[in-house]
Amino acid sequence: MKHWAFTIALLLWAAASAWAQAPGAAPQAVQTDIPSIYKTLAGYFPVGAAIDPADLSGPHEQMLTMHFDGITSTNEMKWSSIEPAQGRFEFGPADRGVELALSHKMRVRGHTLVYATGQQTPSYAFGDGTNSAANQAIVIANIREHIQSEVQHFGDKVYAWDVVNEPFDPSQADCLAHGPFYQVLGKSYIDVAFQAAREYAPAGTKLFINDYSTNEPNRLGCLLKVVGDLRARGIPIDGVGHQMHNAINYPSVPAMENAIETVRSQFPGLDQQITELDVSVYNGGDTKSNYGRSIPASVLAEQGWLYKSTFDLFRRLKGKISAVTLWGIADDDTWLDRFPVVRTEYPLPFDRQLQAKPAYWGIVDETRLPGYGLKFSAAAAKTQSDTRTITVTATNGDAGPAYASQIKSIGLRPVSAEPRCAAAVSAPASFPVSLGDIPTSGTAAVSIAVTLRGCDPHTRFAFTAAWSSATYETGTFSTTLDIDGDSGEPRR
Ligand code: XIL
């Protein structure tokens, strides 16, 4: 090698290794001194993770087996991966995930036999794409052959299948996505898939329909309609998978709860799972924002509190959901880096160096969330004969800053029945009122100016303050305030 070429090669090597060691590139040591997610939740439901081939070795494998007792292959069990050309099967990558899982006594969800939208499905599956009688027979045979081959290959190593993925479309009168299978067979492609799965999978295998945004009333309505129709016609469906690709502002926890409870009340005994949970740090529908590699700590704290509320809900739903699966393990490998646009995402419990984020603590131990332990107190001081200042003080715990803390609203009313006594807030002019970011173990205070009318001396007031921090940490502080001195104005 010529000298200059050698120098360039050396420089390139140096640059490459510097890049490999740059923050964000190399995984740090796996934290082995923190609680296991699945063990922490063992009394509620199993917790799985979607995996890629890269999760089967090294630190990722360690993370996977430490924190999860189930797997779903993100892509390796999809039609295009398993049978890219008709009759040519490539089970290897999926098998490797299954073998790792079973050697650790983890359960395996199969995802997915028929992808309604035709995504990750080879085009031969649809025949010539038409609904001619001849092509219908071909596509039915294709679906049955593919499902038979795949479910028989995995046998009882797979306990549940997403038989049909993403079939709902509320913009269609029949609530069904008019994808390529539908174009050929109408709604009967769903029947064909479930019947084949029941016929060829071992008895007891759970057969699921799986879809996203089931919290949205129109999508939930479609779910109820389609599943109701399948059940009425005796199509063998065992469960509904709620994907839950959530965002930092969407959906609300009550909306998630409503989806599960509505399905449950309509179809008692139908299994339900959360199948693909992740929580984008960007608002739903926002395809422009991009934090790059510098995500504000406040956003991660907010996400942590949202994970906590979400898992509080899941725990309340114990017995009503049979598993929760996260769509990944750590932020170094998430489909949301490419969907709906290319940007840097942070949707999972662990960061790019595989270290625990607030999202992780929100799942396993809320006392470690930034802002945990935020407490309030209040005192009143007389300013003039008929005015008082109420000082509300927030004192943060020692778990980390309490970001974007605020008092959302207050209530102030006399404790005893004094019909003519009233307290009116003269400042601040409106709520919420900000307490800002309160440092770890620090305090912040706001003053509320109050004018009294027609109150007895020493009237005691019931004071309440609804507060929030990091959006999802919320509470209501209540106390009784002694407002000393003369009553406001002389009573008339
Ligand atoms: C995604 C995978 O995570 C990506 O790697 C792939 O490029 C596209 O598919 N809903 C589903 C999953 O049911 O199959 C999708 O998985 C994510 C949305």
Side-chain angles (χ1 to χ4, degrees):
M1 198 187 291
K2 287 214 170 27
H3 181 69
W4 57 268
F6 177 78
T7 306
I8 289 172
L10 196 70
L11 283 171
L12 283 172
W13 174 83
S17 42
W19 175 79
Q21 282 154 26
Q28 291 171 6
V30 170
Q31 294 167 296
T32 52
D33 56 345
I34 58 174
S36 150
I37 294 177
Y38 87 84
K39 287 181 185 165
T40 303
L41 293 168
Y44 297 92
F45 37 74
V47 188
I51 59 159
D52 287 319
D55 296 317
L56 301 180
S57 60
H60 290 87
E61 176 195 5
Q62 215 184 328
M63 298 288 290
L64 174 67
T65 56
M66 172 176 173
H67 289 291
F68 302 97
D69 56 356
I71 63 156
T72 305
S73 287
T74 41
N75 296 304
E76 285 61 40
M77 288 194 189
K78 289 172 178 170
W79 194 324
S80 58
S81 302
I82 291 290
E83 194 181 359
Q86 192 151 30
R88 179 160 69 76
F89 295 95
E90 293 184 2
F91 289 115
D95 283 343
R96 287 189 272 283
V98 170
E99 293 316 319
L100 176 80
L102 296 184
S103 73
H104 289 272
K105 301 190 163 51
M106 303 162 81
R107 302 195 311 162
V108 180
R109 293 192 91 253
H111 175 84
T112 175
L113 296 172
V114 169
Y115 208 140
T117 59
Q119 265 165 266
Q120 296 175 286
T121 308
S123 59
Y124 75 80
F126 322 125
D128 67 12
T130 70
N131 65 354
S132 70
N135 195 54
Q136 289 182 330
I138 286 169
V139 172
I140 290 172
N142 287 348
I143 294 172
R144 290 181 52 79
E145 173 276 325
H146 174 71
I147 290 180
Q148 175 178 11
S149 305
E150 181 157 7
V151 302
Q152 286 183 340
H153 172 82
F154 292 106
D156 60 11
K157 294 173 178 172
V158 168
Y159 82 98
W161 281 103
D162 290 332
V163 177
V164 178
N165 198 39
E166 301 183 354
F168 308 134
D169 181 353
S171 75
Q172 301 290 353
D174 63 0
C175 274
L176 291 172
H178 291 192
F181 291 108
Y182 181 100
Q183 297 297 340
V184 178
L185 293 170
K187 72 174 184 178
S188 74
Y189 83 93
I190 300 176
D191 310 0
V192 171
F194 275 94
Q195 282 161 340
R198 180 56 87 227
E199 189 175 339
Y200 297 117
T205 307
K206 298 268 186 206
L207 306 182
F208 278 76
I209 208 163
N210 189 49
D211 216 322
Y212 60 89
S213 301
T214 53
N215 57 281
E216 279 178 25
N218 55 358
R219 297 189 64 85
L220 181 58
C222 282
L223 184 163
L224 299 175
K225 179 173 163 177
V226 172
V227 171
D229 174 59
L230 291 172
R231 282 165 57 103
R233 293 185 297 109
I235 305 302
I237 174 173
D238 301 309
V240 167
H242 303 265
Q243 293 186 0
M244 295 213 184
H245 291 293
N246 292 345
I248 193 93
N249 70 333
Y250 172 92
S252 70
V253 170
M256 295 182 227
E257 178 167 22
N258 177 61
I260 308 271
E261 292 290 3
T262 304
V263 172
R264 179 180 160 80
S265 68
Q266 203 97 355
F267 309 118
L270 192 70
D271 204 341
Q272 295 193 74
Q273 296 194 352
I274 314 307
T275 53
E276 305 187 11
L277 179 70
D278 48 21
V279 181
S280 168
V281 292
Y282 306 107
N283 285 347
D286 173 358
T287 55
K288 295 276 183 286
S289 301
N290 186 357
Y291 291 113
R293 288 301 173 99
S294 35
I295 180 94
S298 58
V299 176
L300 295 179
E302 181 179 351
Q303 182 192 46
W305 282 99
L306 177 53
Y307 259 96
K308 173 195 136 48
S309 331
T310 305
F311 273 79
D312 282 348
L313 167 66
F314 295 162
R315 280 183 283 258
R316 285 202 300 282
L317 292 171
K318 172 182 173 170
K320 301 178 180 178
I321 51 176
S322 66
V324 173
T325 301
L326 288 157
W327 206 243
I329 301 169
D331 293 341
D332 67 335
D333 180 14
T334 167
W335 75 301
L336 294 177
D337 274 347
R338 298 172 301 279
F339 179 89
V341 292
V342 174
R343 62 180 163 192
T344 310
E345 259 285 10
Y346 300 80
L348 293 163
F350 299 95
D351 70 15
R352 285 182 161 69
Q353 290 81 43
L354 308 183
Q355 306 301 292
K357 293 164 61 188
Y360 162 85
W361 292 112
I363 298 172
V364 304
D365 182 1
E366 61 179 294
T367 69
R368 300 281 303 267
L369 282 171
Y372 178 83
L374 191 60
K375 298 237 174 344
F376 287 79
S377 62
K382 181 175 173 182
T383 34
Q384 292 170 22
S385 64
D386 63 344
T387 59
R388 303 290 183 272
T389 298
I390 300 171
T391 303
V392 183
T393 304
T395 304
N396 190 13
D398 61 7
Y403 295 102
S405 303
Q406 58 179 11
I407 293 170
K408 296 194 285 187
S409 62
I410 62 160
L412 191 61
R413 57 173 182 77
V415 171
S416 50
E418 285 187 62
R420 282 175 300 187
C421 167
V425 174
S426 53
S430 67
F431 286 85
V433 51
S434 174
L435 291 154
D437 297 341
I438 310 173
T440 308
S441 303
T443 61
V446 292
S447 294
I448 298 164
V450 172
T451 303
L452 303 175
R453 296 263 182 268
C455 301
D456 284 335
H458 309 300
T459 295
R460 289 156 64 81
F461 284 82
F463 176 77
T464 57
W467 58 271
S468 72
S469 182
T471 307
Y472 297 106
E473 181 187 14
T474 60
T476 302
F477 165 70
S478 321
T479 192
T480 305
L481 284 180
D482 276 315
I483 297 189
D484 287 330
D486 303 321
S487 77
E489 296 188 331
R491 296 176 68 176
R492 267 162 242 170

